[in-house]
Amino acid sequence: MEKSVALNEWQSLQKRMVINRVHALIHGAALAALFHYRITSITKSLPQLVIFAAELILSFQWLLSQGAKWNPVSRTACPDRLPADDKLPSVDVFVCTTDPVKEPSLGVMNTVISAMALDYPSHKLHVYLSDDGGSPVTFRAVKEAWGFAKVWIPFCRKYTVNNRCPQAYFMTEQTGDHRFLHEKAHIQKTYEDFKISLAKIAASTDSRVRDHQPIIEKAAYDKI
């Protein structure tokens, strides 16, 4: 049996651990003194009871946060230890939505496109969009997203783009040679057209939810 290799390394942060523990002990002692005072001097007046209840809740929340601080560690990812593509497991990504008004299609489609563009063997990556509301807006929007993904995913692969979310990527300044900047400008123009098409769909399509038979469409993007 082949021994599995850890995909990350970690080390304990000793200096931070000492500081955190000293702070936790001092804070805990102060809380103990506060509760002793409250219990021995509390009256049945409503304001004092409310304040005491609030202090109990906040102290409990503080206590829950101490687990990670009691023994802090630093982790380093080791992507070079990943197995070969043929040994990687298949991954299913589910994106769920229900209302294109409360959940605008642009944000949902950015999530779908980001998942499709993940740096993972495409034949082992499956992305599903589940629209619980069955809105025609979402149905038409995902077709537009598929069209944009045809140019976005090859661009990400060609230039090893780390930020695979189009909306976030185009909000940051990028440097590179003339060819890269020219191609990036073309992709950005395509993305702006994609945004306009989603806005037109939202404005012209009835977004009301209706009961109907499920609509299932499959798009193979492993050849993009």
Side-chain angles (χ1 to χ4, degrees), residues 105-115 164-168 191 194:
S105 296
L106 180 60
V108 176
M109 295 309 127
N110 266 280
T111 303
V112 172
I113 294 170
S114 302
R164 300 294 174 95
C165 175
Q167 187 174 28
Y191 179 68
F194 167 63

Side-chain angles (χ1 to χ4, degrees), residues 181-200:
L181 294 177
H182 177 75
E183 192 166 348
K184 174 182 175 290
H186 172 70
I187 300 294
Q188 189 167 5
K189 175 61 169 59
T190 306
Y191 179 68
E192 294 301 322
D193 294 339
F194 167 63
K195 289 167 59 177
I196 293 173
S197 66
L198 292 190
K200 290 180 178 178

Side-chain angles (χ1 to χ4, degrees), residues 63-92:
L63 183 62
L64 293 178
S65 69
Q66 296 309 300
K69 296 179 180 180
W70 191 255
N71 187 23
V73 298
S74 173
R75 297 184 183 276
T76 304
C78 304
D80 56 300
R81 297 180 183 176
L82 285 170
D85 288 356
D86 58 339
K87 294 184 179 181
L88 288 172
S90 295
V91 174
D92 295 333

